[in-house]
Amino acid sequence: MLTDREIFESTVLIVDDELNNIELLEQILSQEGYSSLISTKDSRMAQELYVKHQPDLVILDLMMPYLNGFEVIERLSEIEKDSYAPILVLTAQADYDNRLRALEGGARDFLGKPFDYLEVLCRTRNILEVRILHKKLRSEEH
């Protein structure tokens, strides 16, 4: 069983080109108790920040300039090719084709915008639980 401390000390990376979305997500997560939040408006920074901070969750927009979310998923999945890429897609492009493409590309879950506060928290926690358990299992194997 995981403790709240393990969940709330997890590192979360938010990648969204809209500052308002980043600020809202940071507010929601910090009010819930999450203490390690990193964010960027520039999708080109996602891979570098991922390598540097090794987040337990990436909350990712799909439609961004420079690199779209699908390209970011591909790059992050390559880093985690032997592991569990912890990606939660959060986008206004919530049609079936985009959802399926994101999930098939390596995203673990999907939320449409506008999003529900409680649903963001539930899906965040679900992915974090799997990520933490996956990391524990891998460390026991080595």
Side-chain angles (χ1 to χ4, degrees):
M1 187 75 177
L2 296 175
T3 64
D4 282 346
R5 182 177 175 191
E6 288 176 292
I7 298 292
F8 294 139
E9 289 180 352
S10 299
T11 301
V12 178
L13 171 61
I14 302 167
V15 183
D16 195 313
D17 61 318
E18 293 292 329
L19 184 58
N20 290 339
N21 292 335
I22 290 173
E23 290 173 344
L24 180 57
L25 287 166
E26 287 176 339
Q27 179 183 8
I28 289 169
L29 294 171
S30 63
Q31 284 179 349
E32 184 69 11
Y34 292 92
S35 58
S36 183
L37 305 174
I38 302 156
S39 61
T40 183
K41 287 177 51 180
D42 188 340
S43 58
R44 297 171 295 186
M45 294 297 298
Q47 188 173 8
E48 180 181 328
L49 289 170
Y50 191 88
V51 170
K52 181 178 179 181
H53 297 283
Q54 299 181 347
D56 299 295
L57 173 64
V58 178
I59 300 177
L60 177 66
D61 187 18
L62 285 183
M63 299 305 150
M64 297 179 288
Y66 310 117
L67 295 174
N68 66 42
F70 300 112
E71 293 166 313
V72 173
I73 290 170
E74 185 177 315
R75 291 175 182 207
L76 298 184
S77 294
E78 186 61 31
I79 294 169
E80 290 285 355
K81 63 182 165 211
D82 297 326
S83 190
Y84 178 86
I87 302 168
L88 171 61
V89 170
L90 185 63
T91 185
Q93 304 297 322
D95 61 89
Y96 177 79
D97 290 337
N98 280 321
R99 287 194 321 264
L100 189 60
R101 182 176 171 199
L103 293 169
E104 287 180 340
R108 300 300 171 198
D109 206 349
F110 197 100
L111 273 172
K113 292 179 186 173
F115 54 83
D116 178 78
Y117 173 91
L118 292 175
E119 190 174 10
V120 167
L121 292 175
C122 288
R123 291 180 189 266
T124 294
R125 186 174 184 103
N126 290 345
I127 292 175
L128 286 171
E129 285 176 352
V130 172
R131 173 68 171 188
I132 292 166
L133 290 171
H134 180 80
K135 285 170 65 175
K136 284 182 177 186
L137 180 62
R138 290 197 57 153
S139 69
E140 289 175 8
E141 292 173 351
H142 295 100

